[in-house]
Amino acid sequence: MLFRSDDESTIQMDPGRIVEGIIGGIGFLGAGAIIHGDRDVRGATTGAGIWVVGGIGVAVGFGYYLHATLLTVVILFVLSVLRRLSAWLEKAGRERDH
């Protein structure tokens, strides 16, 4: 948000208020992505992904390009490689139970 200081010729920006608005909006979207069923919860990864993408966007907005890039690489690793590992472990567990 922009506000005028005591000196009428100066306009200051409050980054905390900008981030506060982003956090509120992302929290609303992330919560909406999570669906509660009778005995299961779906969409938790999607909700977490929305939070991470928002964080990357804030990092880029503040000029932390290296941090945003590294975080993007880590998230892509987690969502792709670890997803395959999880599927493989579930399959191995089902085969063991039979």
Side-chain angles (χ1 to χ4, degrees), residues 60-98:
V60 169
F62 283 127
Y64 294 109
Y65 303 116
L66 178 63
H67 296 85
T69 302
L70 293 175
L71 182 58
T72 301
V73 169
V74 169
I75 294 306
L76 289 174
F77 171 78
V78 167
L79 292 177
S80 62
V81 174
L82 295 184
R83 179 180 180 188
R84 290 187 198 125
L85 177 64
S86 175
W88 179 78
L89 289 172
E90 285 181 20
K91 181 180 176 184
R94 284 193 305 263
E95 290 174 357
R96 183 185 48 138
D97 290 339
H98 286 120

Side-chain angles (χ1 to χ4, degrees), residues 40-53:
D40 62 341
V41 175
R42 297 195 181 265
T45 303
T46 303
I50 292 171
W51 272 101
V52 169
V53 169

Side-chain angles (χ1 to χ4, degrees), residues 5 13 19 26 36 56 78 82:
S5 66
M13 186 174 70
V19 174
I26 290 172
H36 294 273
I56 292 170
V78 167
L82 295 184

